[in-house]
């Protein structure tokens, strides 16, 4: 039982390939397995079989690569490449072998993504997912109880933070507007509360 912290940037501004493990029982951090690439601003998702997928990030260039951590070997190995370099993106698990990667930006060419991608570890491919209504980097996203994905806020440019939301329907490959927040939010987090309303 624990938490895996992946990549980022240290106090000196150096991009990190290292990871750390937080043990919930001992309440201590210890070094985790080192990734093959430094990844600042990457996203990560845990699959049902315990594998961890880290995608994108920045290390002097914006990365389109992914890496997969095997719980059996406790080592990282290369995963499928995305079609776009993405930093500040979000990753959500979809099944035992697929993840959804949402938005982000390519700092290398100063572009912001309205696209999503579905990475499939089983066949080593990445295919386009539903396109959002506008670019979003540093947004939040959550899988709803009915399987749709709620995307929240983010930045559409270096000067515009968003209060809008949208809902992706992966079955129909569509995006539709969601309710607008009271405040524009970039770099926010979201959690799904239990259906019975408890916290």
């Amino acid at each position: 039982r624990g938490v895996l912290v992946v990549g980022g940037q240290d106090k000196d501004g150096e991009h990190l390939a290292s990871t750390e493990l937080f043990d919930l029982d001992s309440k201590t951090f210890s070094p985790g397995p080192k990734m093959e690439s430094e990844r600042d601003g990457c996203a990560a998702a845990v699959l049902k079989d315990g594998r961890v997928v880290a995608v994108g990030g920045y290390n002097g260039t914006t990365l389109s690569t992914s890496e997969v951590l095997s719980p059996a070997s406790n080592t990282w190995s290369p995963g499928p490449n995305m079609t776009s370099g993405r930093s500040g993106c979000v990753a959500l698990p979809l099944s035992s072998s697929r993840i959804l990667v949402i938005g982000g930006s390519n700092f290398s060419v100063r572009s912001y993504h309205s696209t999503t991608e579905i990475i499939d570890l089983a066949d080593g491919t990445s295919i386009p997912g539903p396109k959002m209504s506008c670019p979003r980097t540093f947004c939040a996203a959550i899988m709803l109880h009915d399987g749709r994905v709620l995307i929240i806020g983010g930045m559409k440019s270096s000067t515009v933070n968003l209060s809008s939301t949208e809902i992706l329907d992966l079955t129909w490959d569509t995006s539709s507007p969601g309710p607008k927040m009271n405040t524009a939010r970039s770099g926010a987090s979201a959690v799904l509360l239990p259906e019975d309303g408890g916290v």
Side-chain angles (χ1 to χ4, degrees), residues 10-197:
D10 69 12
K11 62 183 178 61
D12 299 315
E14 295 294 323
H15 309 299
L16 298 173
S18 61
T19 70
E20 295 193 43
L21 290 165
F22 178 68
D23 188 290
L24 295 176
D25 295 322
S26 66
K27 297 180 174 58
T28 58
F29 280 97
S30 61
K34 188 174 182 179
M35 295 185 290
E36 297 189 349
S37 298
E38 296 89 358
R39 296 180 183 272
D40 177 21
C42 64
V46 182
L47 301 176
K48 291 180 180 179
D49 61 8
R51 288 181 296 172
V52 177
V53 186
V55 297
Y58 182 81
N59 62 6
T61 187
T62 305
L63 299 170
S64 60
T65 57
S66 71
E67 300 185 40
V68 183
L69 175 63
S70 166
S73 64
N74 202 36
T75 57
W76 294 90
S77 59
N81 285 350
M82 298 183 289
T83 58
S84 301
R86 297 177 188 269
S87 180
C89 54
V90 180
L92 296 175
L94 297 178
S95 68
S96 59
S97 65
R98 298 191 308 151
I99 67 168
L100 174 68
V101 184
I102 299 166
S105 58
N106 189 328
F107 292 140
S108 305
V109 295
R110 297 187 180 277
S111 67
Y112 292 74
H113 295 309
S114 59
T115 55
T116 69
E117 302 189 40
I118 297 172
I119 294 177
D120 192 330
L121 300 184
D123 60 16
T125 61
S126 180
I127 62 172
K131 188 172 183 178
M132 297 182 288
S133 62
C134 68
R136 294 179 189 269
T137 188
F138 299 115
C139 62
I142 198 78
M143 182 77 71
L144 302 176
H145 294 294
D146 62 6
R148 295 179 301 164
V149 176
L150 175 65
I151 302 173
I152 302 156
M155 301 173 67
K156 66 181 297 185
S157 72
S158 61
T159 58
V160 180
N161 290 341
L162 298 166
S163 59
S164 61
T165 70
E166 48 192 299
I167 298 172
L168 300 186
D169 189 320
L170 299 176
T171 301
W172 298 100
D173 195 35
T174 58
S175 173
S176 58
K180 191 172 183 179
M181 294 184 291
N182 296 318
T183 303
R185 297 178 188 270
S186 172
S189 296
V191 294
L192 185 64
L193 299 178
E195 289 187 277
D196 62 9

